[in-house]
Amino acid sequence: MSELLSLNTLYFIFPLIIASMVPLTMVAMGALYSERSGVVNIALEGIMVMGGFVGVMVIRYLEFTFVEQGWFIDPMSDYVSNTGLAIIAIIGLFIGALAGMAFSFFHAFASIRMKSNQIISATALNLFAPALAVFVARTLYLTRRVVISGNYRLREIPGFSNIPFIGDLLFKRAYVSTYISIALFVILTLILYKTRLGLRIRSCGENPHAADSLGVNVAKIRYIGVLVSGAMAGMGGVIFVLSFATRFDGTVIGFGFLSLAVLIFGQWRPARILFAAFFFAMMRVIASTYSSLPVIQDLPMPRQIYSMLPYIATLVVLAFVSKRSQAPRAAGEPYDAGKR
């Protein structure tokens, strides 16, 4: 009986951990590209807000369009079919990535072209993004909330869902964004460590003067790094809305800042970032579902303690990890070709 209970608990909590882990991993991988190129991007929170806002507006429009035109409607249920939802989600993710890339360009221009303080530039974007999103939402929809109607979980992946144990965990009621994120994680890792572009990105974050002396355009590489971070953060904003809510209301509840903690805990390495994202996602899920977990639901602890758990874990982890930081040496320093 206890074994069945623990298995049911695993089936309940693991998909929630994956749902939290995916946006954290994507945004942290974007931040990895930016910092490996030499630009610190703490504007991830604001970029997630803008990407999520634009992506959700597109998804809302597509939902109404598909319903009105009768596209992808399942005749058995009169709702948009599983395939239709997947297509809508993919389009929304792509548009969100473009919006995040466009918004991050302002940070790239200020940091690289104007050589401004990267922290101040990013902070300005973090303050500007929620205000702009809420203003536009109120103007277009007369409310700050942009509501979408679809449930973007795929019922199952044919063939894979029948695999014992793993099928129920990974291939049933999963989000299409999960599989897209897995593919992107692999692609971004391979680019960073197995291609000439990846080598140039890493060299610009470690020793941009040496890279410049070998003919590398440092400014161009840093623009690429920041724009990639913007694309991943914008997509992460859309993933956040699809995974945790059926509406956008001007916030991503700190996921952008938590992704920076994931990056630092992961020591700027993809494999460690994956582990760090899993750890922080687990802390967040425990904080939000403790009353449903048999192991801890009877502990005499106030709910406020559980609410603080992810942030306490962040502070504790960073206090230890920061002592042996392996951040790129030139991260945060504007490049001046006249200095050696």
Side-chain angles (χ1 to χ4, degrees):
M1 183 67 176
S2 60
E3 183 178 344
L4 179 61
L5 186 62
S6 62
L7 194 60
N8 288 335
T9 302
L10 179 63
Y11 284 140
F12 167 70
I13 196 173
F14 189 77
L16 297 177
I17 293 175
I18 294 299
S20 294
M21 180 182 173
V22 167
L24 287 176
T25 304
M26 284 296 94
V27 180
M29 285 297 291
L32 173 66
Y33 265 69
S34 182
E35 296 207 7
R36 281 290 186 183
S37 71
V39 179
V40 173
N41 188 1
I42 66 167
L44 300 173
E45 183 85 0
I47 297 171
M48 284 186 74
V49 169
M50 287 305 300
F53 174 59
V54 175
V56 168
M57 282 202 304
V58 171
I59 288 173
R60 176 188 170 96
Y61 172 78
L62 292 176
E63 284 180 345
F64 281 110
T65 300
F66 285 165
V67 170
E68 290 177 1
Q69 300 296 328
W71 299 350
F72 300 130
I73 299 297
D74 187 343
M76 301 298 294
S77 63
D78 291 332
Y79 291 108
V80 180
S81 68
N82 209 35
T83 302
L85 290 175
I87 292 174
I88 293 174
I90 291 171
I91 295 174
L93 291 169
F94 178 72
I95 297 299
L98 291 180
M101 187 181 294
F103 195 62
S104 67
F105 175 80
F106 296 105
H107 178 54
F109 182 80
S111 301
I112 302 168
R113 176 70 174 178
M114 306 302 294
K115 295 182 172 56
S116 64
N117 186 291
Q118 296 172 13
I119 303 301
I120 295 176
S121 169
T123 301
L125 294 184
N126 281 335
L127 296 174
F128 179 71
L132 177 63
V134 171
F135 171 76
V136 175
R138 287 186 182 277
T139 302
L140 296 178
Y141 306 110
L142 304 180
T143 176
R144 63 181 293 165
R145 294 179 175 178
V146 183
V147 181
I148 56 177
S149 59
N151 178 5
Y152 286 89
R153 285 181 183 268
L154 301 178
R155 285 187 290 272
E156 63 178 16
I157 305 300
F160 294 96
S161 60
N162 297 324
I163 301 174
F165 184 67
I166 296 177
D168 290 331
L169 280 180
L170 299 177
F171 300 107
K172 286 185 179 180
R173 295 192 56 76
Y175 296 98
V176 63
S177 56
T178 299
Y179 307 112
I180 293 175
S181 299
I182 292 172
L184 286 174
F185 178 84
V186 173
I187 292 171
L188 291 173
T189 302
L190 291 176
I191 289 175
L192 193 60
Y193 289 101
K194 300 296 182 181
T195 66
R196 180 181 299 178
L197 174 61
L199 178 60
R200 290 180 175 181
I201 289 174
R202 287 181 285 130
S203 65
C204 288
E206 292 293 337
N207 194 332
H209 291 95
D212 191 13
S213 68
L214 295 174
V216 176
N217 187 329
V218 176
K220 178 182 177 181
I221 294 299
R222 289 189 168 184
Y223 267 108
I224 291 173
V226 177
L227 293 178
V228 169
S229 75
M232 292 299 99
M235 184 178 294
V238 181
I239 293 173
F240 170 83
V241 177
L242 295 181
S243 302
F244 296 103
T246 56
R247 66 180 185 272
F248 171 87
D249 57 4
T251 179
V252 290
I253 60 173
F255 262 63
F257 297 118
L258 198 55
S259 297
L260 287 172
V262 168
L263 175 68
I264 297 171
F265 185 20
Q267 291 294 290
W268 292 266
R269 297 181 182 276
R272 294 184 181 183
I273 285 174
L274 201 62
F275 170 77
F278 182 84
F279 172 77
F280 283 111
M282 183 173 63
M283 292 296 102
R284 186 184 180 281
V285 170
I286 291 174
S288 59
T289 63
Y290 67 91
S291 60
S292 303
L293 301 178
V295 180
I296 62 175
Q297 63 182 355
D298 296 327
L299 294 178
M301 293 175 62
R303 62 181 179 84
Q304 290 83 0
I305 298 296
Y306 292 105
S307 299
M308 293 188 296
L309 187 60
Y311 310 104
I312 293 174
T314 301
L315 292 174
V316 171
V317 166
L318 294 184
F320 287 99
V321 172
S322 59
K323 295 180 181 180
R324 49 187 176 84
S325 174
Q326 299 178 17
R329 285 182 294 178
E333 299 179 5
Y335 175 65
D336 186 346
K339 293 181 179 181
R340 294 290 177 178

